[in-house]
Amino acid sequence: MVGIQYNPRHYPNPEVFRPSRWYDSTTDDSFLAFSIGPRSCIGKKFALAEGVCFLAHLLRDFEVSPLLEKNESIEGWKERVLSKVDVKLTLGLSNAPLLFKR
């Protein structure tokens, strides 16, 4: 499942974090995190709605920015945080230090 999401034939530059790659999607099977078909996650719609609500409330009250190390650029932060991690059964993210300002 994860290998399909990284296939350059389907997703140009799959290593780059670019959520906009799914904006023009006309089918429900372009983002496979919840699987597709008869065995797809029954909580998919709830999870997507809950995620949007959570982010809307968080971003309403806080300004979020990357917490940079000394003399680190935004690009350096992206390289450090979005580096390749061994994919196991579930997806993960390395430490992503962020600064939240009210």
Side-chain angles (χ1 to χ4, degrees):
M1 187 71 72
V2 174
I4 293 172
Q5 299 289 100
Y6 281 91
N7 189 336
R9 186 173 64 195
H10 299 292
Y11 302 101
N13 299 323
E15 301 294 330
V16 176
F17 179 71
R18 212 177 25 139
S20 61
R21 74 183 67 193
W22 292 286
Y23 288 175
D24 296 331
S25 174
T26 56
T27 62
D28 198 31
D29 62 350
S30 60
F31 181 63
L32 303 173
F34 296 97
S35 192
I36 57 174
R39 295 176 190 250
S40 66
C41 177
I42 61 172
K44 175 182 176 178
K45 288 183 181 181
F46 175 76
L48 292 174
E50 183 75 12
V52 170
C53 289
F54 172 78
L55 286 174
H57 280 90
L58 180 74
L59 297 176
R60 177 189 63 186
D61 297 331
F62 291 94
E63 177 184 330
V64 182
S65 58
L67 187 58
L68 304 175
E69 292 180 351
K70 189 173 182 174
N71 298 325
E72 184 178 39
S73 67
I74 297 283
E75 291 303 316
W77 182 88
K78 286 181 184 178
E79 270 186 44
R80 179 168 51 93
V81 172
L82 299 174
S83 64
K84 290 184 181 179
V85 179
D86 290 334
V87 177
K88 298 191 172 128
L89 185 59
T90 59
L91 297 175
L93 178 70
S94 61
N95 291 334
L98 297 172
L99 180 64
F100 291 83
K101 285 185 187 176
R102 270 200 184 274

